[in-house]
Amino acid sequence: MKQTTLRKEVRCSGVGLHSGQKVEMVLKPAPADTGVVFSLLTKSGRQIIVPEPGKVVGTGLATTLGTERAKVSTVEHLLAALVGLEIDNVLIEVDGQEIPILDGSASVYVYLINSAGVRMLDRPRQIARITRTLVFEQEGKRVVAKPFNGLKIDYHINFPHPQIGAQNFSFESTPLTFSHRIARARTFGFMKDVEWLQKNGLALGGSLENAVVFDDYGVVNPEGLRFADEMVRHKILDFMGDIAVGSHRLWGHFEVSCSGHDFNNKFMRYLFEN
């Protein structure tokens, strides 16, 4: 199994979920053993961040990677697309402090990566494999990790809302299954939370163009849902992005219940520390 990168660079721009400011981003091919590297344009020049569990410095609303010199938010959808399409090496140049939220899913990133094309490299892919069953749980949240030759995720959510409730989804990742079953699932939230966040200067880029929003009765978005269970599918998307901060691609069967960005990162820290 060989490592991969992009055949050519691709560009996109969009608003940041938190700031509401325009962000420019370029995905560039990278040599074997580079991994995923963020190059951030700051006032003091370009700063480099290589994802790892300990560099997750924020998990409110989105996953933020950072060092003392720079940080970049909302990385999870892009990282999930790289995992789902099995891209090992890429340089991500960002002009701003966030990855563009786009439509709130990973579908645009899938389009960009497919437009760039995938190139095989003459170096074997390195995999971090789950070798024994591990149970990690806190305060009603739970991840069970088991050995598996690939990436499989069984996810359970339960929200006290008439149009969400309990949802379950089982998914085995390949580029095709990721593109068709997971990538298009959008982030979601609740009208009362969105109003509070924006009054307090947060989620300034959030809108019905990049999120599924629920009021007390149902979906506010005029186009409705892309899948009846779009919410649990998006949680799988987030989980895939959040476990992409390890030093190598992670293989295993993960049974996840009621998790989120913060718990996902706690799990990753525990996994790689032990």
Side-chain angles (χ1 to χ4, degrees):
M1 191 181 305
K2 300 292 188 180
Q3 294 183 32
T4 62
T5 188
L6 304 179
R7 287 192 175 276
K8 63 180 182 179
E9 69 176 53
V10 284
R11 299 171 175 268
C12 77
S13 62
V15 300
L17 173 64
H18 294 299
S19 66
Q21 300 296 312
K22 186 177 180 181
V23 182
E24 302 280 349
M25 184 177 74
V26 185
L27 306 181
K28 293 185 173 183
D33 296 330
T34 300
V36 175
V37 176
F38 289 89
S39 174
L40 311 176
L41 184 61
T42 69
K43 293 179 180 178
S44 56
R46 288 217 166 262
Q47 302 294 331
I48 298 298
I49 299 179
V50 178
E52 58 184 64
K55 287 182 181 172
V56 174
V57 296
T59 53
L61 299 180
T63 296
T64 301
L65 295 169
T67 64
E68 293 179 354
R69 296 186 173 188
K71 65 180 181 178
V72 57
S73 298
T74 327
V75 298
E76 62 273 14
H77 301 167
L78 175 58
L79 290 178
L82 295 172
V83 169
L85 298 184
E86 300 181 357
I87 304 299
D88 299 295
N89 304 286
V90 63
L91 176 64
I92 305 165
E93 293 186 350
V94 184
D95 184 357
Q97 291 190 316
E98 297 182 68
I99 301 300
I101 189 63
L102 302 175
D103 73 343
S105 76
S107 61
V108 177
Y109 300 129
V110 168
Y111 171 79
L112 288 171
I113 292 167
N114 287 335
S115 298
V118 179
R119 181 163 64 93
M120 303 292 291
L121 300 172
D122 191 22
R123 198 73 58 84
R125 175 176 289 158
Q126 294 184 319
I127 303 291
R129 301 172 185 264
I130 301 296
T131 57
R132 59 182 175 84
T133 298
L134 170 72
V135 179
F136 184 74
E137 56 185 334
Q138 294 177 355
E139 300 175 349
K141 301 176 176 64
R142 177 182 173 98
V143 177
V144 180
K146 301 176 181 179
F148 184 76
N149 190 32
L151 176 60
K152 183 177 181 180
I153 303 168
D154 296 333
Y155 211 109
H156 169 76
I157 63 171
N158 194 349
F159 284 85
H161 187 280
Q163 203 164 340
I164 306 178
Q167 295 185 359
N168 299 280
F169 198 82
S170 183
F171 169 72
E172 185 174 340
S173 185
T174 68
L176 188 62
T177 58
F178 176 79
S179 298
H180 288 281
R181 304 181 71 194
I182 300 299
R184 294 181 61 246
R186 297 162 294 176
T187 192
F188 64 95
F190 301 92
M191 182 68 78
K192 61 179 185 293
D193 297 330
V194 172
E195 291 171 348
W196 183 90
L197 288 166
Q198 294 188 338
K199 284 179 181 176
N200 287 273
L202 302 169
L204 297 178
S207 73
L208 297 181
E209 299 297 319
N210 53 43
V212 177
V213 178
F214 292 88
D215 62 15
D216 290 341
Y217 306 102
V219 178
V220 176
N221 304 60
E223 75 279 10
L225 297 173
R226 292 177 176 175
F227 310 95
D229 54 1
E230 186 169 359
M231 289 64 70
V232 68
R233 294 183 194 227
H234 185 79
K235 285 293 189 179
I236 290 178
L237 177 67
D238 280 347
F239 184 77
M240 290 178 69
D242 288 342
I243 66 171
V245 298
S247 54
H248 302 302
R249 183 179 301 277
L250 186 59
W251 274 12
H253 178 189
F254 301 92
E255 298 173 351
V256 190
S257 180
C258 302
S259 189
H261 296 306
D262 183 60
F263 189 74
N264 293 343
N265 183 245
K266 288 178 180 177
F267 164 71
M268 287 296 291
R269 289 176 185 244
Y270 179 82
L271 183 67
F272 280 87
E273 288 169 0
N274 291 274

